[in-house]
Amino acid sequence: MACSGFVVSGLSSGSGKTVITLGLLNAFRKAGVAIAAAKSGPDYIDSAFLKAAAGQAAINLDSHAMTPTLIDSLLHRHIARHHAKTLIVEGVMGLFDGTHNGRGSTADLACHLDLPVILVIDVRNTAQNAAALAAGLDHILRQHAKQRYSGASGTHIAGLILNHVASARHHTLIAEAMSHYDIPMLGSIPTTADIDVPSRHLGLVQAADLAASGRLDSVIDAATKLVETHLDLNLIQKLATPLSLQATSQTALGAPAQHIAIASDAAFGFSYSHIIDEWASSGATISPFSPLNDEAPHVDAGFVYIPGGYPELHLQKLSTATQFMAGLQQMASRNVPIYGECGGFMVLGDAIVDADGNRFAMAGLLELETSFAKRKLHLGYRTLTTKQAGLWNNKLASTLMAHEFHYTTATRMAGEALFDAKDAASNDVGTMGLIKGSVTGSYAHIIAAIEA
Ligand SMILES: C/C1=C2N=C(/C=C3N=C(/C(C)=C4\N[C@@](C)([C@@H]5N=C1[C@](C)(CCC(=O)O)[C@H]5CC(=O)O)[C@@](C)(CC(=O)O)[C@@H]4CCC(=O)O)[C@@](C)(CC(=O)O)[C@@H]\3CCC(=O)O)C(C)(C)[C@@H]/2CCC(=O)O
Ligand SMILES: Nc1ncnc2c1ncn2[C@@H]1O[C@H](COP(=O)(O)OP(=O)(O)OP(=O)(O)O)[C@@H](O)[C@H]1O
Ligand SMILES: NC(=O)CC[C@H](N)C(=O)O
């Protein structure tokens, strides 16, 4: 495997990392470069956008929830699967944003992989200060690499991209200031009306929604045109440095059955390719089904997985999806393991209440009612310990790394809890989820099992 790579990071959310990564992936692909795409951190929405631009799955790599060995193993197989020569990794939030004690950041992932970082700075309302920030971050990143990752001699700020540049003068002011530092400028991107990727994290727009309205291709084309016009793509490609991965056969979460039915549509799109693609690669049969089209899970499946997503945007359709609901109830009565996470968990409950207080009946397999009436963000990594042994026909590991990201709240929850949970700083945060017969679920998205 001879693959080189770089990481695209920024100062914060909203700096333009996704737009620039989408443009770079598609521009390189058009130029015949064999690419692979990855996203740092627990974000399945951005990775769905990256997948569309890359024309292949984008993998999530998580320096908090995954061990270094697991990261290497997953990445090695991802690169091999796509015969990639250039890996592009999009960071999460700002370069050093992460969990407790600064762990789990994009900087950590870059250092672990010993990859250079391309920094994107949104320069609206600033000028020369952007150069000082880039130089300062470079200094701290090199220190971070030296202190925490003795082998990461290649991790530094290898180039700077200015986003939202107002004028040639604005560019010149920053370029002059940058000439004092040993960091190349890779280009300046103006604000452009046709690039709008509507706010994805407010629960409104996923790649699948844009695709359904025919806008996804035009957003990717606009991002591609921006990077082709304004960035030095030859120089960017030359900045990529070779990866050296210590791969094993370790997987994130072993396949829970030989035949797995997975809910997959605009209501249930929050799944990780590092889990599902690996189940498929290990030989499991994957049968997708669409609850929104009132499809039942495949009757022969030995496991039903309902990922998270936006059930609250489709409550009328879901509550009248009689084949889907009956299919789930039949599987439960046959003791087939059914597992829902976050949006999938909500659908397994008795009802979901929408933002206006209207109540919609759901599958009724768990004693749970969730509500969007008071929108509240719940966010954070979780370490989960199963409260019962032998779950999922003995296929569920006892300790799991996971994370929560949702706006609904459980207004009623009764019955046996599924997990004991801790946050990223190992504080106890109580129990999570429910188990009733073969039906399990919780608000957490599993990222990886911890091997005993
Ligand atoms: C510590 C925080 C973490 N956020 C993570 C990962 C993601 N956050 C995203 C986004 C868009 C938002 N995160 C904020 C909630 C922001 N994140 C934080 C905070 C700094 C502190 C949270 C806390 O401990 O209570 C928080 C800032 C705050 O003032 O609350 C957000 C508000 C920041 C922002 O830029 O606006 C914003 C939420 C906006 C909204 O309401 O929708 C990401 C989606 C970023 C991205 O990749 O685009 C991302 C993934 C979210 C996900 O979970 O899917 C960390 C790094 C995981 C970290 C939590 C660490 C932990 O200890 O668990
Ligand atoms: N040059 C630009 N012109 C116009 N809009 C832009 C430009 N760059 C980014 N945007 C818009 O700004 C918003 C934030 O951009 P983007 O999602 O790429 O940032 P990000 O750093 O990836 O944020 P996150 O960490 O939340 O994923 C999006 O709506 C995007 O369409
Ligand atoms: N992560 C999820 O599956 C989110 C579920 C739902 N959209 C909520 O915000 O509550």
Side-chain angles (χ1 to χ4, degrees):
M1 184 202 70
C3 180
S4 296
F6 58 82
V7 175
V8 177
S9 188
L11 298 188
S12 65
S13 292
S15 49
K17 302 181 297 289
T18 307
V19 163
I20 288 165
T21 309
L22 292 178
L24 288 176
L25 286 167
N26 193 38
F28 281 1
R29 184 155 74 116
K30 278 171 51 191
V33 179
I35 43 152
K39 168 80 190 178
S40 170
D43 183 337
Y44 23 67
I45 299 180
D46 273 357
S47 39
F49 277 86
L50 300 188
K51 176 181 179 182
Q56 52 173 254
I59 197 171
N60 284 76
L61 301 172
D62 194 313
S63 56
H64 170 77
M66 295 174 181
T67 60
T69 313
L70 181 60
I71 290 175
D72 280 15
S73 305
L74 291 172
L75 186 54
H76 189 271
R77 289 195 290 278
H78 180 61
I79 287 168
R81 204 174 287 138
H82 300 296
H83 310 288
K85 296 278 178 250
T86 304
L87 169 75
I88 306 182
V89 184
E90 184 197 339
V92 61
M93 292 174 66
L95 181 58
F96 288 100
D97 294 331
T99 68
H100 189 59
N101 283 337
R103 298 278 172 186
S105 63
T106 302
D108 271 347
L109 182 68
C111 288
H112 166 66
L113 296 174
D114 196 14
L115 289 181
V117 173
I118 291 176
L119 191 68
V120 179
I121 300 189
D122 174 351
V123 292
R124 279 174 293 188
N125 311 318
T126 191
Q128 286 92 336
N129 202 47
L133 286 169
L137 282 177
D138 182 45
H139 177 70
I140 295 166
L141 182 59
R142 287 173 192 267
Q143 267 185 349
H144 188 83
K146 207 183 267 174
Q147 288 164 2
R148 295 195 183 179
Y149 296 83
S150 55
S153 54
T155 301
H156 62 289
I157 303 293
L160 175 64
I161 295 173
L162 307 180
N163 193 18
H164 294 289
V165 170
S167 62
R169 185 165 66 115
H170 191 189
H171 165 88
T172 305
L173 292 174
I174 302 172
E176 276 170 6
M178 280 302 290
S179 67
H180 300 294
Y181 308 114
D182 190 19
I183 301 173
M185 295 270 290
L186 305 174
S188 291
I189 296 181
T191 301
T192 319
D194 55 3
I195 197 61
D196 191 39
V197 178
S199 180
R200 289 149 289 139
H201 303 293
L202 296 175
L204 295 177
V205 178
Q206 304 171 85
D209 297 326
L210 280 189
S213 63
R215 283 206 52 224
L216 184 59
D217 287 347
S218 63
V219 165
I220 291 171
D221 287 348
T224 310
K225 198 165 151 216
L226 265 191
V227 307
E228 285 173 342
T229 311
H230 300 287
L231 301 185
D232 186 339
L233 295 182
N234 284 330
L235 181 52
I236 289 176
Q237 207 184 345
K238 281 190 196 130
L239 295 177
T241 60
L243 277 157
S244 160
L245 302 169
Q246 310 298 318
T248 66
S249 59
Q250 199 178 335
T251 57
L253 188 70
Q258 263 310 107
H259 186 166
I260 304 165
I262 302 183
S264 175
D265 58 27
F268 302 101
F270 291 179
S271 54
Y272 285 124
S273 82
H274 75 263
I275 293 184
I276 292 179
D277 290 355
E278 293 254 320
W279 286 349
S281 304
S282 74
T285 303
I286 305 291
S287 295
F289 66 98
S290 167
L292 285 181
N293 290 339
D294 198 10
E295 291 167 7
H298 198 293
V299 280
D300 294 336
F303 188 89
V304 182
Y305 170 38
I306 312 182
Y310 293 122
E312 69 272 18
L313 300 182
H314 307 274
L315 289 176
Q316 183 64 41
K317 255 191 172 170
L318 288 171
S319 63
T320 53
T322 48
Q323 313 272 356
F324 163 59
M325 297 297 182
L328 283 182
Q329 285 148 0
Q330 279 159 20
M331 303 291 261
S333 67
R334 286 196 286 121
N335 237 10
V336 175
I338 299 175
Y339 166 63
E341 54 190 23
C342 209
F345 175 53
M346 291 159 61
V347 136
L348 293 176
D350 292 320
I352 301 178
V353 175
D354 73 8
D356 300 322
N358 304 307
R359 187 176 184 276
F360 293 84
M362 292 291 131
L365 294 172
L366 295 173
E367 288 177 57
L368 168 73
E369 189 158 317
T370 52
S371 170
F372 218 86
K374 282 193 193 127
R375 196 173 179 279
K376 179 179 184 310
L377 178 63
H378 303 78
L379 166 96
Y381 282 107
R382 302 287 173 252
T383 301
L384 307 174
T385 313
T386 49
K387 289 178 77 68
Q388 270 190 21
L391 293 174
W392 301 1
N393 296 331
N394 281 316
K395 296 278 173 47
L396 186 63
S398 62
T399 310
L400 300 145
M401 299 302 288
H403 102 288
E404 246 187 293
F405 188 53
H406 57 99
Y407 295 96
T408 51
T409 301
T411 45
R412 190 174 64 82
M413 233 172 119
E416 213 174 319
L418 181 62
F419 299 120
D420 284 315
K422 290 187 191 301
D423 68 11
S426 297
N427 299 307
D428 227 318
V429 290
T431 61
M432 284 189 80
L434 290 171
I435 171 168
K436 191 173 177 187
S438 65
V439 183
T440 52
S442 90
Y443 259 125
H445 300 261
I446 295 175
I447 299 171
I450 297 182
E451 296 209 334

